[in-house]
Amino acid sequence: MPAVVGVAVVGGVVVGGGAIGAQVAQQKPARAAPAASPASAAKAPAATQRLPGYNADRNAYFGDLHVHTYLSNDAYIFNVRRTPDDAYRFAKGEAIGHAAGFDVRLQGGPLDFVAVTDHAEYMGVIREAADPVNPLSKLPFSKGLMSPDLNEIQRAFRAYGQARRDGTLPAEFNDPAIVSRAWREVQDAAARNYAPGRFTTFVGYEFTSGLEGRNLHRNVIFQTANVPSLPYSTSDSNDPEDLWRKMDAWRAKGVEALAIPHNSNGSDGLMFDGSRMSGRPLDRAYAEMRARNEPLVEISQTKGTSEAHPSLSPNDEWANFEIMESYIGAEKPITKFDGGYVRRALEDGILHRQKLGVNPFKLGFVGGSDTHNAAPGSVEEPNYFSKAGLSDATPERRGSIPAKGARTWGDDESAAAGGRYKTWGASGLAGIWAEENSRGALYAALRRRETFATSGPRIKVRFFAGYDLPADLLTRTDTVRQAYAHGVPMGGDLLASKGRAPSFLVWAVRDPRGGYLQRAQVVKGWIENGQAKEKVFDVACSDGLKVGANSRCGDNGATVNLKTCEPDRFKGDVELRTVWKDPEFNPRQRAFYYVRVLENPSCRWSTWDALRNGTPPNPNLQPTIMERAWSSPIWFEPTA
């Protein structure tokens, strides 16, 4: 990754320092302080194995671990015909064809890593049923599954989904040889496109579980090309516990993988429930198995953001961000938000840690696109073409411009327009801090949770905690090296040090193609008298503003011109960094801390659609958003 500026403005003070992700390379970070978690400093590759771009202080790499191609049956029904190879081409900056007949391409730079994660369930079957020489195409059920007509697409999608749920898919669809051929294609494409040091591919797939429509989906990511002969899917079991047991069995045979749950916001409280799918309570064995297999969660993607819900976090002014409150693919409303949002899950995890001795919800953060267009990283607001092939390929189908060529929004039209696109966003990306761009280094970072998520922009975020961070940390040229030497990075545990309170290094740098940064915050969660507590602290303000007594930065006055989508050029900062201490630190309380960074307001994708069409934005859709990034948490442990 290229170096970023070495001068920062924090609270109006100019401070020197090295680049956030590209300080002096080729040197190993100093050994971590005794209070640090053993996972905080990963073992560096041997010198003979170092790749171009190797950086002992770790680089920020951006990618997408949630990508569907024509091997996913819903994507094929949506008329998507792009392959895993096409997905990798798109990620590397090439143009590919969209199902609607136009070309699409990233406006920003290429991605650093990608996992193609097609649905494991009947993988490739609709693709084969579409082949007129394949016997599957002669089955009555196959008729009408492949149509360019929008009404037929929706009918086919509903018919396929219903048949899966009630077990009436043709027996011929359940041929393991079909899945094997598709799975081989996934592996071969990953092998062809892996270029260590430049671009990393991961073999993966989606385990698409849902109990009566309550989303329990996971993406399974493999460390190497050593993968099972077939993916374990919901055709085997809908219970994620059975997936974890299978992953343990693979691991015992040398096949290493991790699972990343996504769209907990669509689980109706089930994703992080206090009971198991069987109804039994959580126990230590369950907590250990879940923690071993699911170190991460996808916090933001096209179908909404799952960080926090306003009803669970009423004192967080920024919790109402792309909130989806219905089941995925249905108009059925969500009734239980507790158990469906990540911040509350982190709080519940501390409670389980106190009761069971193990935290089952010790989750680092990533983002993902969930594209079904074979277009990883297609999360740019001005360049939005949604996710589901022909079904949402045009602004009119997305409800962002008036129907039938109208130039204004009538009462009847605006009442209905928008639909699910009120909460569908151009999100998100996964960020990884690793020494080099290779499967080994990136996977090790995923395992130790040294990851961060963004809603789309490539904002770089670093977060450390320690007791002996140097007093001149912000003005040193080796800031990151000192932070590793005397603290733990995001994703780690900070153990208690008698009589001392930790300091936190918070550091964020804007995406050069994105908006300017408005504020950096630390979100804290803890348990008090058996109850979940949380608080959001602003810790670094743009434009020379200070944090007030209410733990908030002053308003920097940033605006965006909705007639041109031109943001305020003179508000916000390129970089925010500070060393912060928790003014309410209690050495006897378990707690977690994570960073959230907010950009100035900018136009939402739907406003860009309207601007290009020369019509007003849909009044039912938010005209602007505040793009953001989240670091993985650091957990404070009062006892070993």
Side-chain angles (χ1 to χ4, degrees), residues 7 145 187 197 208 271 273 302 371 373 429 451 462 486 514 531 562:
V7 177
L145 288 181
Q187 296 172 66
T208 314
M271 185 71 80
D273 198 4
T302 297
T371 177
N373 294 316
L429 288 178
T451 62
R462 300 206 90 150
H486 299 290
Q531 298 296 314
L562 296 182

Side-chain angles (χ1 to χ4, degrees), residues 246-446:
K246 176 59 71 171
M247 293 171 67
D248 281 346
W250 290 338
R251 197 171 291 115
K253 296 178 181 180
V255 177
E256 169 59 30
L258 55 82
I260 306 174
H262 65 264
N263 281 120
S264 58
N265 56 348
S267 71
D268 211 0
L270 193 60
M271 185 71 80
F272 307 116
D273 198 4
S275 297
R276 297 148 78 169
M277 186 178 282
S278 64
R280 292 177 294 164
L282 275 57
D283 59 18
R284 185 182 179 100
Y286 170 95
E288 290 175 339
M289 182 168 64
R290 183 164 189 163
R292 183 167 57 247
N293 288 293
E294 292 191 352
L296 301 167
V297 63
E298 185 182 285
I299 199 171
S300 185
Q301 64 132 267
T302 297
K303 299 190 298 294
T305 293
S306 302
E307 179 207 3
H309 189 275
S311 69
L312 302 175
S313 303
N315 296 320
D316 181 356
E317 305 95 307
W318 297 275
N320 191 22
F321 179 70
E322 305 284 26
I323 296 296
M324 184 188 73
E325 295 184 331
S326 62
Y327 279 49
I328 293 174
E331 295 302 317
K332 186 177 180 180
I334 298 293
T335 60
K336 189 173 185 289
F337 301 113
D338 189 359
Y341 284 81
V342 173
R343 189 186 300 172
R344 178 56 59 87
L346 295 175
E347 293 159 4
D348 289 344
I350 298 177
L351 275 173
H352 293 307
R353 167 67 176 84
Q354 294 177 177
K355 295 175 182 176
L356 305 175
V358 177
N359 185 344
F361 304 142
K362 201 164 194 178
L363 299 164
F365 300 161
V366 294
S369 72
D370 194 14
T371 177
H372 282 58
N373 294 316
S378 50
V379 296
E380 301 160 331
E381 301 287 337
N383 190 30
Y384 187 72
F385 45 88
S386 201
K387 63 159 279 185
L390 208 59
S391 67
D392 55 8
T394 67
E396 183 174 336
R397 292 174 196 170
R398 298 191 288 268
S400 53
I401 67 171
K404 301 176 182 178
R407 308 306 296 169
T408 61
W409 293 95
D411 292 340
D412 293 339
E413 292 171 320
S414 63
R420 63 185 179 182
Y421 300 104
K422 294 177 185 178
T423 57
W424 276 35
S427 189
L429 288 178
I432 297 178
W433 288 105
E435 293 86 356
E436 62 187 14
N437 191 353
S438 67
R439 283 179 179 167
L442 295 179
Y443 190 89
L446 294 173

Side-chain angles (χ1 to χ4, degrees), residues 199-221:
F199 182 73
T200 291
T201 62
F202 287 105
V203 180
Y205 71 89
E206 180 171 323
F207 174 85
T208 314
S209 173
L211 182 65
E212 298 177 344
R214 301 167 74 184
N215 185 82
L216 291 173
H217 301 185
R218 273 103 170 139
N219 289 321
V220 179
I221 308 297

Side-chain angles (χ1 to χ4, degrees), residues 128-144:
E128 296 208 7
D131 182 353
V133 303
N134 191 306
L136 291 181
S137 67
K138 313 303 181 186
L139 298 175
F141 185 82
S142 299
K143 308 302 181 184

Side-chain angles (χ1 to χ4, degrees), residues 583-604:
E584 301 170 7
F585 178 72
N586 184 336
R588 295 179 296 278
Q589 285 180 336
R590 282 191 176 85
F592 65 82
Y593 300 84
Y594 66 86
V595 170
R596 183 174 64 189
V597 181
L598 303 179
E599 281 188 4
N600 285 336
S602 57
C603 276
R604 191 173 184 263

